[in-house]
Coordinates of all heavy atoms in Angstrom, one line a residue:
M1 N 81.5 140.2 30.5 CA 82.2 139.1 30.9 C 83.6 139.5 31.1 O 84.2 140.1 30.1 CB 82.0 137.9 30.1 CG 82.6 136.6 30.8 SD 82.3 135.1 29.8 CE 83.9 135.0 28.9
T2 N 84.3 139.3 32.2 CA 85.7 139.7 32.3 C 86.5 138.7 31.6 O 86.2 137.5 31.5 CB 86.1 139.6 33.8 OG1 85.7 138.3 34.5 CG2 85.6 140.9 34.6
Q3 N 87.6 139.1 31.0 CA 88.4 138.2 30.2 C 89.6 137.8 31.1 O 90.6 138.4 31.1 CB 89.0 139.0 29.0 CG 89.8 138.3 28.0 CD 89.0 137.2 27.3 OE1 87.8 137.5 27.0 NE2 89.7 136.1 26.8
R4 N 89.3 136.7 31.8 CA 90.4 136.2 32.7 C 91.3 135.3 32.0 O 92.4 135.3 32.4 CB 89.7 135.4 33.9 CG 90.0 136.0 35.2 CD 89.2 135.3 36.3 NE 89.8 134.1 36.7 CZ 89.1 133.0 37.2 NH1 87.8 133.1 37.5 NH2 89.8 132.0 37.6
Y5 N 90.8 134.7 30.9 CA 91.8 133.6 30.3 C 92.2 134.2 29.0 O 91.3 134.6 28.2 CB 91.0 132.3 30.2 CG 90.9 131.7 31.6 CD1 89.5 131.4 31.9 CD2 91.9 131.4 32.4 CE1 89.2 130.8 33.2 CE2 91.6 130.8 33.7 CZ 90.3 130.4 34.0 OH 90.0 129.9 35.2
S6 N 93.4 134.2 28.6 CA 93.9 134.6 27.3 C 93.5 133.6 26.2 O 93.3 132.4 26.5 CB 95.4 134.8 27.3 OG 96.0 133.7 27.6
K7 N 93.5 134.0 25.0 CA 93.4 133.0 23.9 C 94.5 132.0 23.9 O 94.2 130.7 23.7 CB 93.5 133.8 22.5 CG 92.1 134.4 22.3 CD 92.2 135.1 20.8 CE 90.8 135.8 20.6 NZ 90.9 136.8 19.5
A8 N 95.7 132.3 24.4 CA 96.7 131.3 24.5 C 96.5 130.3 25.5 O 96.7 129.0 25.2 CB 98.1 132.0 24.8
V9 N 95.9 130.7 26.6 CA 95.5 129.7 27.6 C 94.4 128.7 27.1 O 94.4 127.6 27.2 CB 95.1 130.4 28.9 CG1 94.3 129.5 29.8 CG2 96.3 130.9 29.5
L10 N 93.4 129.3 26.3 CA 92.3 128.6 25.9 C 92.8 127.5 24.9 O 92.4 126.4 24.8 CB 91.1 129.4 25.3 CG 90.4 130.2 26.4 CD1 89.4 131.2 25.6 CD2 89.7 129.4 27.4
R11 N 93.8 128.1 24.1 CA 94.3 127.2 23.0 C 95.1 125.9 23.7 O 95.0 124.8 23.2 CB 95.2 127.9 22.1 CG 95.5 127.3 20.8 CD 96.5 128.0 19.9 NE 96.1 129.4 19.7 CZ 96.9 130.5 20.1 NH1 98.0 130.4 20.6 NH2 96.3 131.7 19.9
K12 N 95.7 126.3 24.8 CA 96.4 125.3 25.5 C 95.5 124.2 26.1 O 95.7 123.0 25.9 CB 97.2 125.9 26.7 CG 98.1 125.1 27.5 CD 98.9 125.9 28.6 CE 99.6 125.2 29.5 NZ 100.6 124.2 29.0
L13 N 94.4 124.6 26.5 CA 93.3 123.7 27.1 C 92.9 122.8 26.0 O 92.6 121.7 26.1 CB 92.2 124.4 27.9 CG 92.5 125.2 29.1 CD1 91.2 125.9 29.6 CD2 93.0 124.2 30.2
R14 N 92.6 123.4 24.8 CA 92.1 122.6 23.7 C 93.1 121.6 23.1 O 92.8 120.6 22.7 CB 91.6 123.5 22.7 CG 90.4 124.3 22.9 CD 89.8 125.0 21.7 NE 88.8 125.9 22.0 CZ 88.9 127.2 22.2 NH1 90.1 127.8 21.9 NH2 88.0 128.1 22.6
N15 N 94.4 122.0 23.2 CA 95.4 121.2 22.6 C 96.3 120.3 23.5 O 96.8 119.4 22.9 CB 96.3 122.1 21.7 CG 95.5 122.8 20.7 OD1 94.5 122.3 20.1 ND2 96.0 124.0 20.2
D16 N 96.5 120.7 24.6 CA 97.6 120.1 25.4 C 97.1 118.9 26.4 O 97.9 118.2 26.8 CB 98.4 121.1 26.3 CG 99.1 122.1 25.4 OD1 99.2 121.9 24.2 OD2 99.9 122.9 26.0
I17 N 95.9 118.8 26.5 CA 95.3 117.7 27.3 C 94.8 116.8 26.4 O 93.8 117.0 25.7 CB 94.2 118.2 28.3 CG1 94.6 119.4 29.1 CG2 94.0 117.0 29.4 CD1 93.4 119.9 29.9
P18 N 95.4 115.6 26.2 CA 94.9 114.6 25.2 C 93.4 114.3 25.4 O 92.9 114.0 26.6 CB 95.7 113.3 25.4 CG 96.9 113.9 26.1 CD 96.5 115.1 26.9
I19 N 92.6 114.4 24.3 CA 91.2 114.2 24.4 C 90.8 113.0 25.1 O 89.7 112.9 25.8 CB 90.5 114.4 23.1 CG1 88.9 114.5 23.2 CG2 90.9 113.5 22.0 CD1 88.4 115.8 23.8
D20 N 91.5 111.8 24.8 CA 91.1 110.5 25.3 C 91.3 110.5 26.8 O 90.6 109.8 27.7 CB 91.8 109.4 24.7 CG 93.4 109.4 24.8 OD1 93.9 110.6 25.0 OD2 94.1 108.5 24.4
R21 N 92.4 111.3 27.3 CA 92.6 111.4 28.8 C 91.4 112.3 29.4 O 91.0 111.9 30.6 CB 93.9 112.2 29.1 CG 95.0 111.2 29.6 CD 96.0 112.0 30.4 NE 95.6 112.5 31.8 CZ 95.8 113.7 32.3 NH1 96.6 114.6 31.7 NH2 95.4 114.0 33.6
V22 N 91.0 113.2 28.7 CA 89.9 114.1 29.2 C 88.7 113.1 29.4 O 88.0 113.2 30.4 CB 89.5 115.2 28.3 CG1 88.3 116.0 28.8 CG2 90.7 116.2 28.2
I23 N 88.5 112.4 28.5 CA 87.2 111.5 28.5 C 87.3 110.4 29.6 O 86.6 110.2 30.4 CB 87.0 110.8 27.1 CG1 86.6 111.8 26.1 CG2 85.9 109.7 27.1 CD1 86.7 111.4 24.6
A24 N 88.5 109.7 29.5 CA 88.6 108.5 30.4 C 89.0 108.8 31.8 O 88.5 108.3 32.7 CB 89.6 107.4 29.7
D25 N 90.1 109.6 32.0 CA 90.7 109.8 33.3 C 90.1 111.0 34.0 O 90.1 111.0 35.3 CB 92.2 109.9 33.1 CG 92.9 108.8 32.4 OD1 92.3 107.7 32.4 OD2 93.9 109.0 31.8
I26 N 89.8 112.0 33.3 CA 89.3 113.3 34.0 C 87.9 113.2 34.3 O 87.3 113.4 35.3 CB 89.7 114.5 33.3 CG1 91.3 114.5 33.1 CG2 89.3 115.7 33.8 CD1 91.9 115.6 32.3
L27 N 87.1 112.8 33.1 CA 85.6 112.8 33.3 C 85.1 111.5 33.8 O 83.8 111.4 34.0 CB 85.0 113.3 32.0 CG 85.3 114.8 31.7 CD1 85.0 115.1 30.3 CD2 84.5 115.7 32.7
N28 N 85.9 110.4 33.6 CA 85.3 109.1 33.8 C 84.1 108.7 33.0 O 83.2 108.0 33.4 CB 85.0 108.8 35.3 CG 86.2 108.8 36.1 OD1 87.2 108.1 35.8 ND2 86.4 109.7 37.2
Q29 N 84.1 109.2 31.7 CA 82.9 108.9 30.8 C 83.2 107.5 30.2 O 84.4 107.1 30.0 CB 83.1 110.0 29.6 CG 81.9 109.8 28.7 CD 80.5 110.2 29.1 OE1 80.3 110.6 30.2 NE2 79.7 110.1 28.2
P30 N 82.2 106.6 30.2 CA 82.3 105.3 29.9 C 83.0 105.3 28.5 O 82.8 106.0 27.6 CB 80.9 104.8 29.7 CG 80.1 105.6 30.7 CD 80.8 107.0 30.7
N31 N 84.0 104.3 28.4 CA 84.8 104.1 27.2 C 85.3 102.8 27.0 O 85.2 102.0 28.0 CB 86.0 105.1 27.3 CG 86.8 104.9 28.4 OD1 87.8 104.1 28.3 ND2 86.7 105.5 29.6
K32 N 85.8 102.4 25.8 CA 86.3 101.1 25.5 C 87.2 101.2 24.3 O 87.0 102.1 23.6 CB 85.1 100.1 25.3 CG 84.2 100.4 24.1 CD 83.1 99.5 24.0 CE 82.2 99.9 22.8 NZ 80.9 99.1 22.8
V33 N 88.1 100.1 24.2 CA 88.8 100.0 23.0 C 88.1 98.9 22.1 O 87.9 97.9 22.6 CB 90.2 99.6 23.2 CG1 91.0 99.4 22.0 CG2 90.9 100.9 24.1
S34 N 87.8 99.3 20.9 CA 87.0 98.4 20.1 C 87.8 98.4 18.7 O 88.0 99.5 18.1 CB 85.6 98.9 19.9 OG 85.0 98.3 18.7
E35 N 88.3 97.1 18.3 CA 89.0 97.0 17.1 C 90.1 98.0 17.1 O 90.6 98.5 16.0 CB 88.1 97.3 15.9 CG 87.1 96.2 15.7 CD 86.0 96.7 14.6 OE1 86.1 97.6 14.0 OE2 85.0 96.0 14.7
G36 N 90.8 98.1 18.2 CA 92.0 99.0 18.2 C 91.8 100.5 18.4 O 92.7 101.3 18.6
Y37 N 90.5 100.8 18.3 CA 90.1 102.3 18.5 C 89.5 102.6 19.7 O 88.7 101.9 20.3 CB 89.2 102.7 17.3 CG 89.9 102.6 16.0 CD1 89.7 101.5 15.1 CD2 90.7 103.7 15.5 CE1 90.3 101.5 13.8 CE2 91.4 103.7 14.3 CZ 91.2 102.6 13.5 OH 91.7 102.4 12.2
F38 N 89.9 103.8 20.4 CA 89.2 104.2 21.6 C 87.9 104.8 21.2 O 87.7 105.6 20.3 CB 90.1 105.4 22.2 CG 89.6 106.0 23.4 CD1 89.9 105.6 24.6 CD2 88.9 107.1 23.2 CE1 89.4 106.0 25.7 CE2 88.3 107.7 24.4 CZ 88.6 107.2 25.6
R39 N 86.9 104.2 21.9 CA 85.5 104.7 21.7 C 85.0 105.2 23.0 O 85.3 104.7 24.2 CB 84.6 103.6 21.3 CG 85.1 102.7 20.2 CD 84.7 103.2 18.9 NE 85.2 102.2 17.9 CZ 85.4 102.6 16.6 NH1 85.2 103.9 16.3 NH2 85.7 101.7 15.7
F40 N 84.1 106.1 23.1 CA 83.5 106.8 24.3 C 82.0 106.8 24.1 O 81.5 106.9 22.9 CB 84.0 108.1 24.6 CG 83.9 109.0 23.6 CD1 82.8 110.0 23.8 CD2 84.8 109.2 22.5 CE1 82.6 110.9 22.7 CE2 84.4 110.2 21.5 CZ 83.4 111.0 21.6
L41 N 81.3 106.8 25.3 CA 79.8 107.0 25.2 C 79.5 108.4 24.9 O 80.1 109.3 25.6 CB 79.2 106.6 26.6 CG 77.7 106.6 26.6 CD1 77.1 105.4 25.8 CD2 77.3 106.5 28.1
C42 N 78.9 108.8 23.8 CA 78.6 110.2 23.4 C 77.7 110.8 24.4 O 76.6 110.2 24.8 CB 77.9 110.1 22.1 SG 77.5 111.9 21.7
P43 N 78.2 111.9 25.1 CA 77.3 112.5 26.2 C 76.1 113.1 25.6 O 75.1 113.5 26.3 CB 78.3 113.6 26.7 CG 79.3 113.8 25.7 CD 79.5 112.6 24.9
V44 N 76.0 113.3 24.3 CA 74.8 114.0 23.6 C 73.7 112.9 23.3 O 72.6 113.1 23.6 CB 75.2 114.8 22.4 CG1 74.0 115.4 21.7 CG2 76.1 115.9 22.8
C45 N 74.2 111.9 22.7 CA 73.2 110.9 22.2 C 73.3 109.4 22.7 O 72.6 108.6 22.4 CB 73.2 110.9 20.7 SG 74.6 110.0 20.0
S46 N 74.3 109.3 23.7 CA 74.5 108.0 24.4 C 74.7 106.8 23.5 O 74.3 105.7 23.7 CB 73.3 107.7 25.2 OG 73.1 108.7 26.2
E47 N 75.5 107.0 22.3 CA 75.9 106.0 21.4 C 77.5 105.9 21.6 O 78.2 106.7 22.0 CB 75.6 106.4 19.9 CG 74.1 106.6 19.6 CD 73.4 105.2 19.4 OE1 74.1 104.1 19.3 OE2 72.2 105.2 19.5
F48 N 77.9 104.7 21.2 CA 79.3 104.3 21.2 C 79.9 104.4 19.8 O 81.1 104.1 19.6 CB 79.6 103.0 21.8 CG 80.0 103.0 23.2 CD1 79.1 102.4 24.2 CD2 81.2 103.5 23.7 CE1 79.4 102.5 25.6 CE2 81.6 103.4 25.0 CZ 80.6 103.0 26.0
T49 N 79.2 105.0 18.9 CA 79.7 105.2 17.5 C 80.6 106.5 17.4 O 80.3 107.5 16.8 CB 78.6 105.4 16.5 OG1 77.7 106.3 16.9 CG2 77.9 104.0 16.4
T50 N 81.8 106.4 18.1 CA 82.5 107.5 18.3 C 84.0 107.3 18.0 O 84.5 106.1 18.0 CB 82.4 107.9 19.8 OG1 82.8 107.0 20.6 CG2 81.0 108.6 20.1
A51 N 84.8 108.3 17.9 CA 86.2 108.1 17.8 C 87.0 109.4 18.1 O 86.3 110.4 18.4 CB 86.6 107.8 16.2
V52 N 88.3 109.2 18.4 CA 89.0 110.4 18.7 C 90.2 110.5 17.7 O 90.6 109.6 17.1 CB 89.7 110.4 20.2 CG1 88.6 110.4 21.2 CG2 90.5 109.1 20.3
N53 N 90.6 111.8 17.5 CA 91.6 112.0 16.5 C 92.8 112.7 17.3 O 92.7 113.9 17.6 CB 91.1 113.0 15.4 CG 92.2 113.1 14.3 OD1 93.4 113.0 14.6 ND2 91.8 113.5 13.2
P54 N 93.9 112.0 17.5 CA 95.0 112.5 18.3 C 95.6 113.8 17.6 O 96.1 114.7 18.3 CB 95.9 111.4 18.5 CG 95.3 110.2 18.2 CD 94.1 110.6 17.2
K55 N 95.6 113.8 16.4 CA 96.2 114.8 15.5 C 95.6 116.2 15.8 O 96.2 117.2 16.0 CB 96.2 114.5 14.0 CG 97.5 113.9 13.5 CD 97.4 113.9 12.0 CE 98.6 113.2 11.5 NZ 98.6 113.0 10.1
T56 N 94.2 116.1 15.8 CA 93.4 117.4 16.0 C 93.0 117.6 17.4 O 92.5 118.6 17.9 CB 92.2 117.5 15.1 OG1 91.3 116.2 15.5 CG2 92.5 117.4 13.6
N57 N 93.2 116.5 18.2 CA 92.7 116.4 19.6 C 91.3 116.6 19.7 O 90.7 117.4 20.6 CB 93.5 117.4 20.5 CG 93.5 116.9 22.0 OD1 93.5 115.7 22.3 ND2 93.5 117.9 23.0
L58 N 90.4 116.2 18.8 CA 89.0 116.3 18.7 C 88.4 114.9 18.9 O 89.0 113.9 18.4 CB 88.5 116.9 17.4 CG 88.8 118.3 17.3 CD1 88.3 118.7 15.8 CD2 88.2 119.2 18.2
A59 N 87.3 114.8 19.6 CA 86.5 113.6 19.6 C 85.3 113.9 18.7 O 84.8 114.9 18.6 CB 86.0 113.4 21.0
R60 N 84.8 112.8 17.9 CA 83.7 112.9 17.1 C 82.7 111.7 17.4 O 83.1 110.6 17.6 CB 84.1 112.9 15.7 CG 83.0 112.8 14.7 CD 83.5 113.4 13.2 NE 82.5 113.3 12.3 CZ 81.5 114.2 12.2 NH1 81.5 115.2 13.0 NH2 80.6 114.1 11.2
C61 N 81.4 112.1 17.3 CA 80.3 111.1 17.3 C 79.8 111.1 15.9 O 79.3 112.1 15.3 CB 79.3 111.5 18.3 SG 77.9 110.4 18.2
F62 N 79.8 109.8 15.4 CA 79.2 109.6 14.1 C 77.6 109.5 14.0 O 77.1 109.6 13.0 CB 79.8 108.4 13.4 CG 81.3 108.5 13.4 CD1 82.2 107.8 14.2 CD2 81.9 109.3 12.4 CE1 83.5 107.9 14.2 CE2 83.3 109.5 12.3 CZ 84.1 108.7 13.2
S63 N 77.1 109.3 15.2 CA 75.6 109.2 15.3 C 75.0 110.6 15.3 O 74.2 110.9 14.4 CB 75.4 108.5 16.5 OG 73.8 108.2 16.6
C64 N 75.4 111.5 16.2 CA 74.7 112.8 16.2 C 75.6 113.8 15.6 O 75.3 115.0 15.5 CB 74.5 113.2 17.6 SG 76.0 113.6 18.7
R65 N 76.8 113.4 15.0 CA 77.6 114.3 14.2 C 78.2 115.5 15.1 O 78.5 116.4 14.4 CB 77.0 114.8 13.0 CG 76.5 113.6 12.0 CD 75.7 114.1 10.9 NE 75.4 113.0 10.1 CZ 76.1 112.7 9.0 NH1 77.3 113.3 8.8 NH2 75.8 111.6 8.2
K66 N 78.4 115.3 16.3 CA 78.9 116.4 17.1 C 80.5 116.2 17.2 O 80.9 115.0 17.3 CB 78.3 116.4 18.5 CG 78.7 117.7 19.2 CD 77.5 118.1 20.0 CE 77.9 119.4 20.9 NZ 78.8 120.3 20.3
N67 N 81.3 117.3 17.2 CA 82.7 117.3 17.4 C 82.9 117.9 18.8 O 82.3 118.8 19.2 CB 83.4 118.1 16.4 CG 83.6 117.4 15.1 OD1 84.2 116.3 15.1 ND2 83.1 118.0 14.0
F68 N 83.8 117.4 19.5 CA 84.2 117.9 20.8 C 85.7 118.0 21.0 O 86.4 117.2 20.8 CB 83.8 116.8 21.9 CG 82.4 116.3 21.8 CD1 82.1 115.2 21.2 CD2 81.4 116.9 22.6 CE1 80.8 114.7 21.2 CE2 80.1 116.3 22.6 CZ 79.8 115.3 21.9
N69 N 86.1 119.4 21.4 CA 87.4 119.5 21.8 C 87.2 119.2 23.4 O 86.2 119.2 24.0 CB 87.9 121.0 21.4 CG 87.2 122.0 22.1 OD1 86.8 122.0 23.3 ND2 86.9 123.1 21.3
P70 N 88.4 119.3 24.1 CA 88.3 119.1 25.5 C 87.3 120.0 26.3 O 86.6 119.5 27.3 CB 89.7 119.3 26.0 CG 90.6 118.9 24.9 CD 89.8 119.4 23.7
I71 N 87.2 121.2 26.0 CA 86.3 122.1 26.6 C 84.8 121.8 26.4 O 84.0 121.6 27.3 CB 86.6 123.6 26.2 CG1 88.0 124.0 26.7 CG2 85.5 124.6 26.8 CD1 88.4 125.4 26.1
D72 N 84.6 121.5 25.1 CA 83.2 121.0 24.6 C 82.9 119.8 25.5 O 81.7 119.6 25.8 CB 83.2 120.7 23.2 CG 83.5 121.9 22.3 OD1 83.1 122.9 22.6 OD2 84.1 121.6 21.2
M73 N 83.8 118.8 25.6 CA 83.5 117.5 26.2 C 83.1 117.7 27.7 O 82.1 117.2 28.1 CB 84.8 116.6 26.1 CG 84.6 115.2 26.5 SD 83.3 114.3 25.8 CE 84.0 114.0 24.1
V74 N 83.8 118.6 28.4 CA 83.5 118.9 29.8 C 82.2 119.5 29.9 O 81.5 119.2 30.7 CB 84.6 119.8 30.4 CG1 84.2 120.3 31.8 CG2 86.0 119.1 30.6
M75 N 81.8 120.5 29.0 CA 80.5 121.0 28.9 C 79.4 120.1 28.8 O 78.4 120.1 29.5 CB 80.4 122.1 27.8 CG 81.3 123.4 28.1 SD 81.4 124.5 26.6 CE 79.7 125.2 26.6
A76 N 79.6 119.1 27.9 CA 78.7 118.1 27.6 C 78.5 117.1 28.7 O 77.3 116.9 29.1 CB 78.9 117.5 26.2
V77 N 79.6 116.7 29.2 CA 79.4 115.6 30.2 C 79.0 116.1 31.6 O 78.1 115.6 32.1 CB 80.8 114.9 30.3 CG1 80.7 113.9 31.6 CG2 81.2 114.1 29.1
K78 N 79.5 117.3 31.9 CA 79.1 117.8 33.1 C 78.0 118.8 33.2 O 77.6 119.4 34.2 CB 80.4 118.4 33.9 CG 81.4 117.3 34.2 CD 82.6 117.8 35.0 CE 82.5 117.8 36.4 NZ 82.5 116.4 36.9
T79 N 77.5 119.1 32.0 CA 76.5 120.2 31.8 C 77.0 121.5 32.4 O 76.2 122.2 33.1 CB 75.0 119.8 32.2 OG1 75.1 119.5 33.6 CG2 74.5 118.7 31.4
Y80 N 78.1 121.8 32.1 CA 78.8 123.1 32.5 C 78.7 124.1 31.4 O 78.5 123.8 30.3 CB 80.3 122.9 32.8 CG 80.7 122.3 34.2 CD1 82.0 122.0 34.4 CD2 79.6 122.0 35.1 CE1 82.4 121.4 35.6 CE2 80.1 121.5 36.3 CZ 81.4 121.2 36.6 OH 81.8 120.6 37.7
S81 N 78.7 125.4 31.8 CA 78.8 126.5 30.9 C 80.2 126.5 30.4 O 81.1 125.8 31.0 CB 78.6 127.8 31.6 OG 79.6 128.1 32.5
F82 N 80.5 127.2 29.3 CA 81.9 127.4 28.8 C 82.8 127.8 30.0 O 84.0 127.1 30.2 CB 81.9 128.4 27.7 CG 83.3 128.7 27.1 CD1 83.9 127.8 26.2 CD2 84.0 129.8 27.5 CE1 85.1 128.0 25.6 CE2 85.3 130.0 26.9 CZ 85.8 129.1 26.1
R83 N 82.5 128.8 30.7 CA 83.3 129.3 31.8 C 83.6 128.3 32.8 O 84.7 128.1 33.2 CB 82.6 130.5 32.4 CG 83.4 131.4 33.4 CD 84.9 131.4 32.7 NE 85.6 132.3 33.5 CZ 86.0 133.5 33.1 NH1 85.5 134.0 32.0 NH2 86.8 134.3 33.9
Q84 N 82.5 127.5 33.2 CA 82.7 126.5 34.2 C 83.7 125.4 33.7 O 84.5 124.9 34.5 CB 81.4 125.8 34.6 CG 80.4 126.8 35.4 CD 79.1 126.1 35.6 OE1 78.4 125.7 34.6 NE2 78.5 126.1 36.9
A85 N 83.5 125.1 32.5 CA 84.3 124.1 31.9 C 85.9 124.5 31.8 O 86.8 123.7 32.2 CB 83.8 123.7 30.5
V86 N 86.0 125.7 31.5 CA 87.4 126.3 31.5 C 88.1 126.3 32.9 O 89.1 125.9 33.1 CB 87.5 127.7 30.8 CG1 88.8 128.4 31.1 CG2 87.1 127.6 29.3
D87 N 87.2 126.6 33.8 CA 87.8 126.8 35.2 C 88.1 125.3 35.7 O 89.1 125.2 36.4 CB 86.5 127.3 36.2 CG 86.5 128.8 36.1 OD1 87.4 129.4 35.7 OD2 85.5 129.4 36.6
Y88 N 87.3 124.4 35.2 CA 87.5 123.0 35.7 C 88.7 122.4 35.1 O 89.6 121.9 35.9 CB 86.3 122.2 35.2 CG 86.3 120.7 35.5 CD1 85.9 120.2 36.6 CD2 86.6 119.9 34.4 CE1 86.0 118.8 36.9 CE2 86.8 118.5 34.6 CZ 86.4 118.0 35.9 OH 86.4 116.6 35.9
L89 N 88.9 122.6 33.9 CA 90.2 122.2 33.2 C 91.5 122.9 33.7 O 92.5 122.3 33.9 CB 90.1 122.3 31.7 CG 89.2 121.3 31.0 CD1 88.9 121.6 29.5 CD2 89.7 119.8 31.2
M90 N 91.4 124.2 33.9 CA 92.5 125.0 34.6 C 92.7 124.3 35.9 O 94.1 124.2 36.4 CB 92.1 126.4 34.8 CG 92.0 127.2 33.6 SD 93.6 127.2 32.7 CE 94.6 128.1 33.8
G91 N 91.8 124.0 36.7 CA 92.0 123.3 38.0 C 92.8 122.0 37.9 O 93.7 121.6 38.6
I92 N 92.4 121.3 36.8 CA 93.1 119.9 36.5 C 94.6 120.3 36.1 O 95.5 119.6 36.7 CB 92.5 119.1 35.4 CG1 90.9 118.9 35.6 CG2 93.2 117.9 35.0 CD1 90.6 117.7 36.7
I93 N 94.8 121.2 35.3 CA 96.1 121.5 34.9 C 96.9 122.0 36.1 O 98.2 121.5 36.2 CB 96.2 122.6 33.8 CG1 95.8 121.9 32.5 CG2 97.5 123.2 33.7 CD1 95.9 122.8 31.2
R94 N 96.4 122.8 36.9 CA 97.1 123.3 38.1 C 97.4 122.2 39.1 O 98.5 122.2 39.7 CB 96.4 124.4 38.8 CG 96.2 125.6 38.0 CD 95.9 126.8 38.9 NE 95.7 128.1 38.1 CZ 94.5 128.6 37.8 NH1 93.4 128.0 38.3 NH2 94.4 129.7 37.1
A95 N 96.6 121.2 39.2 CA 96.8 120.1 40.1 C 97.9 119.2 39.7 O 98.5 118.4 40.5 CB 95.5 119.4 40.4
N96 N 98.3 119.2 38.4 CA 99.3 118.3 37.9 C 100.7 118.9 37.7 O 100.8 120.1 37.7 CB 98.8 117.9 36.4 CG 97.8 116.7 36.6 OD1 98.0 115.7 37.3 ND2 96.7 117.0 36.1
Ligands
ZN1 ZN1 76.4 111.5 19.7

């Protein structure tokens, strides 16, 4: 596999796009605010028992115990490969 993206770029994709924005605005994954917390429909198990952590920029599902960074989330929602997910997020960043 050709190394088109540097580690710094991948780090940027994981850290610089807020995970709740990835879920709600970029992927249009069903979401809601419940008791003051942002919840999203888990793309793996379809439960709403989820949360996001702005500090780590990770989303977590308490039902299937999966953690998602923005790249993982794109892979899960769109059933993309890692490479496709990175290309997709790069396209979003370039468009902004
Ligand atoms: Zn889940």
Side-chain angles (χ1 to χ4, degrees):
M1 193 177 93
T2 51
Q3 185 69 28
R4 237 174 85 204
Y5 297 120
S6 66
K7 278 184 179 159
V9 166
L10 295 177
R11 198 179 310 121
K12 187 178 164 64
L13 291 179
R14 290 192 190 99
N15 296 331
D16 290 5
I17 317 172
I19 188 72
D20 56 344
R21 249 204 81 214
V22 173
I23 294 165
D25 302 336
I26 296 173
L27 293 168
N28 292 310
Q29 181 72 358
N31 60 85
K32 62 186 176 185
V33 174
S34 162
E35 292 164 12
Y37 293 98
F38 177 89
R39 316 269 187 204
F40 60 95
L41 185 71
C42 176
V44 175
C45 71
S46 299
E47 295 282 347
F48 262 108
T49 49
T50 52
V52 293
N53 185 338
K55 264 190 177 169
T56 58
N57 207 35
L58 291 174
R60 175 157 176 78
C61 175
F62 299 103
S63 185
C64 69
R65 298 172 174 274
K66 189 142 172 48
N67 283 301
F68 307 89
N69 65 40
I71 298 170
D72 301 324
M73 187 59 74
V74 171
M75 289 173 70
V77 171
K78 298 185 86 71
T79 58
Y80 279 174
S81 68
F82 178 80
R83 188 45 172 253
Q84 286 173 314
V86 169
D87 284 341
Y88 176 82
L89 286 173
M90 285 303 289
I92 302 282
I93 281 190
R94 286 202 188 104
N96 285 303

